[in-house]
């Protein structure tokens, strides 16, 4: 235990190396988007697709760093009567975040320099949504940190957490261990970075971290997150990772339910990772947490977990809810209707849609042509089903439902499709076609999706 409500070495790191490093001037070039800071995704995962963000929405970004999530949320809430609070213990990080907000002329953010552990006593009130990306695994106790967040959550609110994944970071932990043993005591932070960099540059290709360098390189390279990234990834004084059972235990320790995963949702299904019918039949009999735990080890490369938590289970939107509509997002934001129009259904025919992060393979069938043509946020799913039935009477309804589900799961897993209350898109939640969103080219993967309206 320390006498401070934060870890001194961790604070020192983020005062010297605000993370992620950002140049406020870039705000005139691009808006960095992410799933946990997207009201579209938050609405889907936390509020059944039914939240109206126009008035009274209260949001906290806990451990907001240099402002990525805060800036994106503030842009989406710019014209709404909402409250957005940024909190971080690092003054240097807050200065970068505030400078970014100034470039964008965003005046709807309350800035707080404090520890998450102090939240219950800060008098900030309760929040509908708390976004906490990459922070709890750097606290002395993630469990106590989560309890502090839960203490300022509204009864029907929700929390997003991104924490490190145990199996996907094995090479990182080996490199951390190597550097701990290698670096002499008494070095400054900058000297440590320099010596670490020199060693890494000369390591053989057989080294586990070097083998994965294409995955981690942007995090530590000068063109990526540079020295701040290297320190954060390889020299951090407090770095804890979680496997799926650990996520459930973390949630339970604060009296919360793990409601859904927000990133690579389909990879938490073990059926995706084996073709063997005996294994698949057996896996299908297991309970959900066990299936997800096995899936994580089967795929082996989950570098992080993105989870939505709430006091009630199962808060996400459902395709079985007749009042919700499909709404394309991310790289499909403006493309779904065009894809539908160009589609020529034929047995085995496929189309592709891709950006720098993903490639989607689209089966060109009579049903998918209609479904892609209705990802408008306006047509209730019940009406969509009816239209398919009328247009394709020979296809049994259960086959239509099956294909609709397949399309939904495929696109939702990569952040390209969400469910919203029919008719609320562009009203109770923003019209993303009007926000100019560009990802930082070549930067490290940060759960960023592109929804370029430019
Ligand atoms: C890896 S950075 C993530 C920043 C930001 N959430 C993002 O993903 O862009 C971790 C941040 O958590 C902050 N932090 C760590 N411990 C904290 C604590 N006890 N209270 C408040 N902030 C904390 C650090 O200052 C740092 O800005």
């Amino acid at each position: 235990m320390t006498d401070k409500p934060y870890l001194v070495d961790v604070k020192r790191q983020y005062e010297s190396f605000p993370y992620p490093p950002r140049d406020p001037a870039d705000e005139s070039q691009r808006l960095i988007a992410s799933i946990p800071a997207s009201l579209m995704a938050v609405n889907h995962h936390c509020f059944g697709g039914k939240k109206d963000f126009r008035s009274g929405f209260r949001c906290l970004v806990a451990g907001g760093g240099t402002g990525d999530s805060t800036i994106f949320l503030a842009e989406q809430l710019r014209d709404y009567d909402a409250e957005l609070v940024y909190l971080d213990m690092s003054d240097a990080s807050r200065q970068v975040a505030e400078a970014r907000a100034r470039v964008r002329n965003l005046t709807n953010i309350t800035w707080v320099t404090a520890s998450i552990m102090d939240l219950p006593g800060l008098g900030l009130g309760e929040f509908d949504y708390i976004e906490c990306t990459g922070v709890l695994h750097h606290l002395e106790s993630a469990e106590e940190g989560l309890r502090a967040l839960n203490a300022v959550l509204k009864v029907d609110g929700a929390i997003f957490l991104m924490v490190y994944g145990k199996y996907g970071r094995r090479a990182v932990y080996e490199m951390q261990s190597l550097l701990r043993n290698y670096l002499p005591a008494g070095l400054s932070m900058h000297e440590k970075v320099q010596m670490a960099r020199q060693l890494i540059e000369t390591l053989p290709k057989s080294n586990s971290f070097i083998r994965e360098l294409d995955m981690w390189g942007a995090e530590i390279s000068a063109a990526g997150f540079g020295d701040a990234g290297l320190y954060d990834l390889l020299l951090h004084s407090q770095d804890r990772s979680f496997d799926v059972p650990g996520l459930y235990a973390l949630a339970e320790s604060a009296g919360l339910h793990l409601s859904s995963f927000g990133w690579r949702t389909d990879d938490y299904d073990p059926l995706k990772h084996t073709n063997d019918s005996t294994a698949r039949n057996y896996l299908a009999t297991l309970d959900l947490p066990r299936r997800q735990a096995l899936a994580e080890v089967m795929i082996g490369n989950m570098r992080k977990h993105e989870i939505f938590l709430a006091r009630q289970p199962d808060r996400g939107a459902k395709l079985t809810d007749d009042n919700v509509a499909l709404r394309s997002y991310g790289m499909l934001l403006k493309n779904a209707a065009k894809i539908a129009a160009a589609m020529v259904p034929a047995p085995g025919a496929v189309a592709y849609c891709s950006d720098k992060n993903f490639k989607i393979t689209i089966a060109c069938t009579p049903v998918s042509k209609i479904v892609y043509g209705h990802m408008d946020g306006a047509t209730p799913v019940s009406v969509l089903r009816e239209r398919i039935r009328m247009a394709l009477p020979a296809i049994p309804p259960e086959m239509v439902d099956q294909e609709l589900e397949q399309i939904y799961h495929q696109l939702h897993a990569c952040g390209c499709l969400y469910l919203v209350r029919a008719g609320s898109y562009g009203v109770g939640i923003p019209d993303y076609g009007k926000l100019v969103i560009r990802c930082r080219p070549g930067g490290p993967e940060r759960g960023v999706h592109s929804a370029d309206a430019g």
Side-chain angles (χ1 to χ4, degrees):
M1 276 294 286
T2 58
D3 56 347
K4 299 234 176 350
Y6 54 81
L7 291 169
V8 173
D9 284 345
V10 174
K11 178 165 162 55
R12 198 175 293 137
Q13 173 188 334
Y14 290 113
E15 294 298 359
S16 294
F17 292 124
Y19 184 93
R22 296 291 184 212
D23 179 354
D26 288 345
E27 290 313 310
S28 56
Q29 310 295 321
R30 54 94 185 95
L31 174 62
I32 293 178
S34 69
I35 287 172
S38 159
L39 296 182
M40 184 79 154
V42 170
N43 186 34
H44 176 113
H45 284 284
C46 308
F47 302 108
K50 306 261 173 80
K51 188 86 179 164
D52 187 331
F53 294 94
R54 275 175 298 184
S55 85
F57 180 63
R58 301 199 75 235
C59 178
L60 168 69
V61 181
T66 49
D68 281 5
S69 294
T70 307
I71 296 295
F72 185 35
L73 280 161
E75 277 294 354
Q76 295 165 84
L77 294 168
R78 195 188 269 276
D79 300 323
Y80 292 169
D81 172 25
E83 284 181 73
L84 175 58
V85 177
Y86 161 105
L87 176 139
D88 201 291
M89 66 174 177
S90 158
D91 250 323
S93 301
R94 171 176 161 179
Q95 277 170 32
V96 176
E98 280 199 80
R100 293 173 72 182
R102 275 196 299 277
V103 172
R104 291 187 164 272
N105 219 0
L106 289 165
T107 55
N108 55 349
I109 305 162
T110 300
W111 302 95
V112 178
T113 301
S115 170
I116 284 173
M117 299 313 302
D118 287 333
L119 266 170
L122 290 178
L124 294 171
E126 293 184 336
F127 296 91
D128 295 285
Y129 180 59
I130 300 175
E131 197 267 11
C132 187
T133 294
V135 184
L136 286 195
H137 46 225
H138 297 315
L139 265 54
E140 187 173 13
S141 162
E143 288 77 7
E144 283 179 27
L146 185 55
R147 279 196 285 275
L149 296 180
N150 193 21
V152 293
L153 186 71
K154 285 188 188 172
V155 173
D156 57 352
I159 296 175
F160 169 85
L161 297 182
M162 184 282 270
V163 290
Y164 293 147
K166 178 175 168 181
Y167 298 102
R169 281 172 65 89
R170 275 169 300 202
V172 168
Y173 291 122
E174 281 182 33
M175 180 54 74
Q176 285 186 4
S177 163
L178 169 62
L179 293 175
R180 260 195 310 275
N181 288 328
Y182 166 71
L183 293 172
L187 295 184
S188 72
M189 275 186 268
H190 284 90
E191 286 166 338
K192 280 192 201 174
V193 168
Q194 204 186 349
M195 266 189 87
R197 208 177 270 296
Q198 279 163 351
L199 181 71
I200 290 166
E201 274 165 15
T202 60
L203 288 173
K205 284 187 184 146
S206 56
N207 174 278
S208 59
F209 184 76
I210 301 300
R211 284 205 306 267
E212 291 189 1
L213 206 54
D214 54 341
M215 200 190 293
W216 304 108
E219 197 70 33
I220 64 173
S221 70
F225 288 168
D227 289 354
L230 190 147
Y231 206 99
D232 204 70
L233 187 70
L234 301 175
L235 297 169
H236 212 292
S237 56
Q238 181 74 6
D239 176 327
R240 176 176 168 192
S241 63
F242 293 81
D243 58 10
V244 166
L247 296 177
Y248 276 97
L250 175 65
E252 203 184 336
S253 74
L256 293 164
H257 292 272
L258 195 169
S259 180
S260 57
F261 288 89
W263 181 69
R264 292 176 59 181
T265 52
D266 54 344
D267 278 332
Y268 290 92
D269 179 358
L271 300 187
K272 191 182 163 197
H273 310 314
T274 174
N275 290 329
D276 179 71
S277 59
T278 311
R280 288 171 63 86
N281 288 341
Y282 169 63
L283 287 164
T285 65
L286 304 179
D287 65 37
L288 185 64
R290 179 129 180 251
R291 287 209 304 271
Q292 292 166 336
L294 291 169
E296 180 190 12
V297 191
M298 288 163 83
I299 183 95
N301 65 356
M302 297 281 196
R303 288 181 281 159
K304 58 183 180 177
H305 297 292
E306 298 202 340
I307 53 175
F308 291 92
L309 309 170
R311 294 194 195 148
Q312 309 78 20
D314 218 8
R315 289 273 299 263
K318 311 255 177 328
L319 202 51
T320 47
D321 179 347
D322 281 345
N323 299 314
V324 294
L326 306 175
R327 176 62 232 189
S328 60
Y329 190 67
M331 72 169 132
L332 280 186
L333 182 71
K334 291 183 156 186
N335 294 339
K338 287 183 205 155
I339 289 168
M343 199 184 283
V344 181
V350 290
Y352 299 99
C353 180
S354 59
D355 71 2
K356 72 184 174 68
N357 294 318
F358 301 111
K359 180 175 181 181
I360 300 172
T361 304
I362 300 163
C364 300
T365 69
V367 171
S368 73
K369 185 173 171 72
I370 299 175
V371 173
Y372 272 80
H374 285 83
M375 296 180 179
D376 51 11
T379 313
V381 172
S382 54
V383 173
L384 170 59
R385 284 198 174 93
E386 194 49 38
R387 284 191 189 158
I388 298 172
R389 251 170 243 145
M390 302 278 282
L392 306 167
I395 303 182
E398 56 278 10
M399 286 188 67
V400 170
D401 284 347
Q402 201 179 23
E403 192 170 345
L404 182 58
E405 271 210 28
Q406 272 167 6
I407 295 169
Y408 164 71
H409 285 300
Q410 179 198 12
L411 299 183
H412 179 65
C414 56
C416 289
L417 188 66
Y418 290 99
L419 300 171
V420 290
R421 186 204 300 270
S424 69
Y425 183 78
V427 184
I429 68 166
D431 177 350
Y432 289 85
K434 293 185 179 154
L435 288 177
V436 177
I437 303 174
R438 287 206 182 83
C439 303
R440 178 175 146 142
E445 185 267 310
R446 291 181 48 73
V448 169
H449 64 280
S450 65
D452 189 348

